[in-house]
Amino acid sequence: MKVSRRSHVPPFAVMEVLAEANRLRDAGASVLNLCAGEPSTGASDVVRRRAIELLEHGDLGYTESLGVPALRRAIAEHYDRWYGVEVDPARVAVTTGSSGGFLLAFLAAFDVGDRVALARPGYPAYKNILRALGCEVVELDCGPETRYQPTVSQLMEAYYDGGLDGLVVASPANPTGTMILPAELDAVASWCADHDVRLVSDEIYHGITYGDTADDAPEALPTAARYVGEGAVVVNSFSKYWAMTGWRLGWLVLPDELVGPVDALAGNVALSPPALAQHAGVAAFSPEGYAAAAENVARYAASRELVLSRLDDLGWSRVAPADGAFYVYADVSGDRLDSVTWCERLLAEAGVALTPGTDFDGVRGGDWVRLSFAAAPATVAEAVERIVAWRRTL
Ligand SMILES: Cc1ncc(COP(=O)(O)O)c(C=O)c1O
């Protein structure tokens, strides 16, 4: 029987690395996993305790499609607390991870044939989902001169080259970790509003920043929530800052005209986001929840320092500025191996799993690898030693 053409999305190369890492580990090898893009700690105690109470006494039936009111309110208040931006809880849609949020936002905002721009390198699911939905993806070649973030001049070029209906930006980004500076986001958002281009801003790594780029004052934090009144969509998640990957909880902040469509789509696609995660997720916004997340960020900061202090020994002279998230994206082409072979050999010969850049960049990814320092600091430290020693054998 026929399989749809739209379902032919490319698999992630990292899945093969992971499968091989697991195979080696099962066979008794010592394997350090620095390819997973997830915190090793899991949800904070306050969220776990609340989940236990709810399992014993809670009502865990279907919820409202856009999420339980208490969580929508807590998310809205988070914007005031962090950014000094007023968000109406009615514009917040709780979703099954930001991944579920993307699907709903793209379905609500774009039609088949619409042209949507995004940065290359970038998180591959955006383009794979957009293509599966019949959109035309316009990849913007982004390099170090723009912190791997799209610029207004690139948007103008794409716009005059065939029209543009949408733009997806991510800051801090995956795999580069780079941030879009407040003035840049302002320029991009205004340009999008003026040209009827729907801006979708992935802010899933917000909170995981290291203070090198922007003033830490809330009004300096570049959130597109400031531009929702002009049509922008914000996507966020409990997965990274709150370390709740498997809880499958995320959210959207929507412009008025998309609230109804997302509500209807959400009800049809998934009825509601997971009830247990939603009710327990409210506790993530408690002082204890924020404190646990901040402790995680302090640990990532220590691991990041460690990796950055060893760049010379690693032979990584070209790395993207690791402003945020928990990644170092490095050019390994000097080792004269393509990044897939580089990662395969590093795993087989030194027991360290990194992600080849080919997952994020179909043009130049063969030169780059992504190291995730979200693992425990001792694991990151040992992995760096192993990579340094392994490179001497090349
Ligand atoms: C940039 C970015 N956006 C979105 C996601 C999806 O995360 P989730 O669906 O767990 O919220 C990821 C996951 O790694 C990511 O790196």
Side-chain angles (χ1 to χ4, degrees), residues 37-38 96-102 123 125-126 170 172-175 202-205 235-240 244-246 248-250 326-327 370:
E38 67 177 338
T96 45
S98 69
S99 304
F102 274 114
Y123 180 59
Y126 312 135
N174 178 7
D202 180 350
E203 304 185 354
I204 166 169
Y205 291 102
V235 185
N236 209 322
S237 174
F238 289 73
S239 291
K240 311 291 172 161
M244 291 171 61
T245 45
R248 307 314 301 131
L249 201 59
F326 28 59
Y327 306 117
R370 188 194 74 177

Side-chain angles (χ1 to χ4, degrees), residues 156-210:
M156 303 240 279
E157 207 181 306
Y159 183 81
Y160 289 112
D161 205 35
L164 206 56
D165 302 285
L167 167 70
V168 182
V169 295
S171 169
N174 178 7
T176 55
T178 61
M179 282 178 72
I180 191 158
L181 301 177
E184 281 295 323
L185 181 62
D186 202 39
V188 163
S190 308
W191 186 89
C192 284
D194 291 347
H195 293 82
D196 267 340
V197 171
R198 179 78 67 189
L199 171 65
V200 179
S201 175
D202 180 350
E203 304 185 354
I204 166 169
Y205 291 102
H206 270 214
I208 310 180
T209 51
Y210 306 104

